[in-house]
Amino acid sequence: MEIYNLKEMLFPYEQAVKELTLKFDSIKNEYRMLGMYSPIEAVTGRVKKMSSILEKASRKKISPDEIRDKIEDIAGIRILCQFVEDIQKVIDLVRERDGRDLFIEEERDYITNTKPSGYRSYHIIVRYPLNTAMGYIEVPAEIQIRTLSMNFWAVTEHSLKYKYSGNIPMDLQKRLINCAEAAFKLDEEMGTIREEIMHAQRLNEVKNNLLNDIIENMHNLYFNAKVEEMDEINRKFVDLWEEGDLDRLREFNQQLNIMTEVYRA
């Protein structure tokens, strides 16, 4: 493969990243729409820059013709979790798709088997099937699963590697290892109050969904109800919202539902 053909070669990788990102972002949104806690906090994706691909190929002595077969992380998505415990749940979500819309090639556990640098993450190498203009292909991709704190550390370390061309000074390496351990201890400590945090988040999600329903009902009534009725509805809503009683807000929303149906009839 000629170097100038690399850009054309990246098209399927870009499509694979878009589709994989959309799939797992949709899972996150579905959990939240159902009022459930999502083990997925955020999903991002990227295709390696050509300079990074060529640098890696040179470092590993991979010829341009072998890039497609020997570099597995040209396409990559990153799934971020709030808690360490969520990582296994996301791993299970990926495994459930094996043989359906992706094929798992290998799993690498850098959380149990932390890298000497302090790096922690769980990697799943997959082949993602695509029907392209050139026919059916299976694109290799890497799915990284880690906590927010693991990601903060990894992004920082990656920036320092770039700055020092991969040769981070020894004293800075030691400090990075200490930071990695501190970040993991933070993850462990957050895990001890996980239930309280999840409860607060679920409560907030329920409250936001209820607010959206109330606003939609009030919007629908605005075009049908009398002015004095809407003034009373607005005052009552403000009072109830400031009071913060979810049960009374639900009752208020049910009343709005009834009024909306009456005006529709």
Side-chain angles (χ1 to χ4, degrees):
M1 179 187 296
E2 300 293 338
I3 297 298
Y4 61 79
N5 284 334
L6 276 177
K7 186 173 182 180
E8 181 180 325
M9 184 199 79
L10 293 182
F11 291 158
Y13 290 91
E14 291 167 356
Q15 186 62 31
V17 166
K18 286 178 184 176
E19 293 190 16
L20 283 166
T21 303
L22 180 62
K23 284 179 191 292
F24 289 98
D25 204 44
S26 295
I27 292 173
K28 177 200 73 177
N29 292 334
E30 186 178 356
Y31 270 104
R32 292 180 177 176
M33 284 176 63
L34 293 172
M36 299 166 62
Y37 172 78
S38 172
I40 299 174
E41 177 65 19
V43 185
T44 60
R46 63 98 185 100
V47 174
K48 267 186 183 293
K49 294 178 181 178
M50 247 184 272
S51 57
S52 298
I53 295 171
L54 293 174
E55 186 277 328
K56 186 168 186 175
S58 175
R59 178 163 38 88
K60 292 184 174 287
K61 297 183 173 20
I62 297 171
S63 71
D65 289 329
E66 298 174 308
I67 285 174
R68 195 193 304 270
D69 297 322
K70 293 191 175 180
I71 299 183
E72 302 164 325
D73 62 345
I74 293 176
I77 69 165
R78 187 171 296 154
I79 302 176
L80 302 182
C81 307
Q82 285 197 78
F83 305 101
V84 175
E85 292 84 354
D86 293 335
I87 291 175
Q88 185 58 53
K89 293 181 180 178
V90 175
I91 292 169
D92 291 340
L93 287 172
V94 177
R95 287 174 179 166
E96 286 171 7
R97 306 187 85 95
D98 186 24
R100 290 163 48 200
D101 57 1
L102 55 81
F103 305 98
I104 295 176
E105 292 281 284
E106 186 181 353
E107 297 186 28
R108 300 167 186 167
D109 184 355
Y110 298 121
I111 297 174
T112 303
N113 307 300
T114 311
K115 287 189 176 184
S117 64
Y119 178 85
R120 285 180 170 91
S121 188
Y122 198 96
H123 293 190
I124 303 178
I125 307 301
V126 303
R127 286 180 291 112
Y128 186 73
L130 276 180
N131 289 302
T132 72
M134 303 303 293
Y136 175 87
I137 60 172
E138 292 178 359
V139 180
E142 180 180 72
I143 301 174
Q144 298 177 351
I145 309 165
R146 59 177 70 150
T147 64
L148 295 166
S149 62
M150 290 175 191
N151 187 60
F152 174 74
W153 183 92
V155 170
T156 302
E157 193 243 9
H158 180 78
S159 298
L160 288 171
K161 271 187 176 179
Y162 182 80
K163 176 181 178 180
Y164 291 103
S165 301
N167 299 307
I168 301 175
M170 187 60 66
D171 63 324
L172 193 51
Q173 287 184 38
K174 290 178 181 177
R175 291 167 66 186
L176 276 171
I177 291 171
N178 290 337
C179 288
E181 292 306 311
F184 193 65
K185 285 178 181 176
L186 173 62
D187 275 333
E188 290 181 320
E189 187 63 27
M190 291 295 286
T192 65
I193 56 172
R194 181 172 180 266
E195 290 303 319
E196 287 80 0
I197 294 172
M198 288 172 60
H199 176 72
Q201 290 175 338
R202 281 195 298 266
L203 192 64
N204 189 53
E205 194 70 30
V206 168
K207 196 171 182 179
N208 284 336
N209 289 339
L210 182 57
L211 172 62
N212 289 336
D213 287 345
I214 290 172
I215 295 298
E216 184 176 352
N217 275 328
M218 290 175 66
H219 176 77
N220 291 334
L221 285 170
Y222 179 80
F223 297 101
N224 297 296
K226 296 176 182 178
V227 173
E228 57 269 20
E229 287 179 323
M230 286 309 303
D231 287 342
E232 177 60 27
I233 288 170
N234 283 325
R235 282 194 296 270
K236 188 171 182 180
F237 168 66
V238 171
D239 291 341
L240 289 173
W241 186 256
E242 289 178 350
E243 185 181 316
D245 189 320
L246 281 179
D247 289 333
R248 294 193 65 191
L249 279 168
R250 286 193 185 96
E251 290 175 7
F252 176 66
N253 192 44
Q254 288 171 359
Q255 292 169 3
L256 293 180
N257 282 330
I258 294 170
M259 290 180 67
T260 301
E261 291 302 318
V262 168
Y263 277 110
R264 279 177 183 167

